[in-house]
C-alpha cells in the first residue's frame, strides 16, 4: 500500500492545545472529540459510523480553518525534512496553523488507512464515513482537500501529497465498480 512520508513537524502534534486556537472556531464537543481521539486507538474512534463520520467532519473542519483561503503557511509549508522535537515544537508557536494543517492531513490519512484495512463486512467503511447515508452523496466537508491541492507547485508539498492521497481514496470509495 502506498503511504505518505511523515510530516516534518510530526513531533509537534502532541503539543497542540485546542482551547487557545480560536481561529479554528471549534466547539467544546469538537475539542472533546479531538482529545478523545488522541487518547484512544484509531480503531476505537472509528468503531461506529456516527462517531467515524463526526470525527472526520471535525478533522476536515480543522483543515478548512487552518489552511484558510490565504494559501500555505508561512514556515511549515517550506520544510522538506523532519525536524527534531524541540524545533518542531517551536514551529507550533511560530506557525501554529501550519502545524495544525499537517496534523489534520496526517489524521485524515490515518483514518483512511484504518478504514481501508477493515473487512468488507464492517459497519464502518470509507463509504459510510465520507458519503451521506440516504443519498450516498459525498459529505460537503471534503472541500478543504481540494483547496490544499489548488495551489500547485507553490503550495505545501506534504499537505498536497496527503490531500491528494486522501481525496483519491475518498472518491474511489464512491465508485460503484
Amino acid at each position: 500500500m502506498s503511504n505518505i512520508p511523515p510530516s516534518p513537524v510530526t513531533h509537534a502534534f502532541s503539543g497542540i492545545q485546542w482551547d487557545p486556537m480560536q481561529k479554528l472556531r471549534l466547539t467544546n464537543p469538537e475539542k472533546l472529540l479531538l482529545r478523545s481521539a488522541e487518547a484512544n486507538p484509531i480503531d476505537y474512534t472509528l468503531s461506529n459510523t456516527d462517531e467515524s463520520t463526526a470525527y472526520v467532519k471535525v478533522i476536515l473542519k480543522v483543515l478548512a480553518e487552518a489552511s484558510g483561503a490565504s494559501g500555505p503557511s508561512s514556515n511549515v509549508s517550506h520544510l522538506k525534512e523532519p525536524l527534531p522535537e524541540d524545533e518542531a515544537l517551536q514551529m507550533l508557536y511560530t506557525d501554529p496553523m501550519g502545524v495544525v494543517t499537517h496534523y489534520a492531513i496526517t489524521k485524515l490519512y490515518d483514518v483512511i488507512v484504518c478504514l481501508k484495512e477493515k473487512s468488507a463486512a464492517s459497519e464502518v467503511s470509507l463509504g459510510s464515513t465520507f458519503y451521506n447515508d440516504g443519498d450516498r452523496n459525498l459529505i460537503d466537508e471534503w472541500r478543504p482537500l481540494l483547496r490544499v491541492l489548488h495551489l500547485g507547485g507553490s503550495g505545501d508539498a506534504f499537505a498536497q501529497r496527503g490531500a491528494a492521497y486522501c481525496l483519491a481514496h475518498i472518491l474511489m470509495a464512491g465508485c460503484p465498480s
Side-chain angles (χ1 to χ4, degrees):
M1 174 181 5
S2 176
N3 58 11
I4 59 172
S7 164
V9 291
T10 299
H11 294 299
F13 295 166
S14 63
I16 295 174
Q17 299 293 316
W18 300 111
D19 289 325
M21 294 201 182
Q22 300 299 319
K23 181 183 187 291
L24 299 177
R25 301 180 319 141
L26 295 172
T27 64
N28 286 333
E30 290 169 336
K31 292 175 195 174
L32 184 61
L33 181 56
L34 289 168
R35 288 185 194 111
S36 174
E38 283 299 314
N40 294 300
I42 190 76
D43 282 337
Y44 179 81
T45 304
L46 305 176
S47 62
N48 74 53
T49 303
D50 292 338
E51 289 179 18
S52 178
T53 301
Y55 179 61
V56 162
K57 286 181 176 183
V58 172
I59 292 295
L60 288 168
K61 177 180 179 179
V62 166
L63 181 61
E65 298 298 332
S67 60
S70 60
S73 67
S74 56
N75 296 317
V76 172
S77 66
H78 301 291
L79 298 174
K80 304 292 185 228
E81 300 295 323
L83 295 177
E85 186 173 3
D86 60 328
E87 291 178 34
L89 287 169
Q90 184 60 38
M91 278 291 168
L92 184 56
Y93 296 101
T94 58
D95 187 5
M97 292 303 115
V99 171
V100 169
T101 296
H102 280 222
Y103 171 89
I105 292 289
T106 300
K107 294 303 172 185
L108 195 56
Y109 171 79
D110 292 345
V111 165
I112 287 171
V113 168
C114 181
L115 292 176
K116 285 182 57 158
E117 290 173 354
K118 289 189 178 283
S119 73
S122 177
E123 167 194 343
V124 183
S125 66
L126 282 169
S128 68
T129 301
F130 289 95
Y131 290 82
N132 293 317
D133 208 15
D135 59 13
R136 302 302 301 152
N137 286 331
L138 186 60
I139 59 173
D140 289 334
E141 290 82 0
W142 69 273
R143 288 183 177 91
L145 292 168
L146 196 57
R147 184 182 325 129
V148 170
L149 291 173
H150 173 69
L151 296 168
S154 64
D156 181 329
F158 171 81
Q160 288 178 325
R161 189 176 305 115
Y165 179 92
C166 293
L167 189 55
H169 285 280
I170 292 166
L171 294 174
M172 286 188 313
C175 295
S177 55

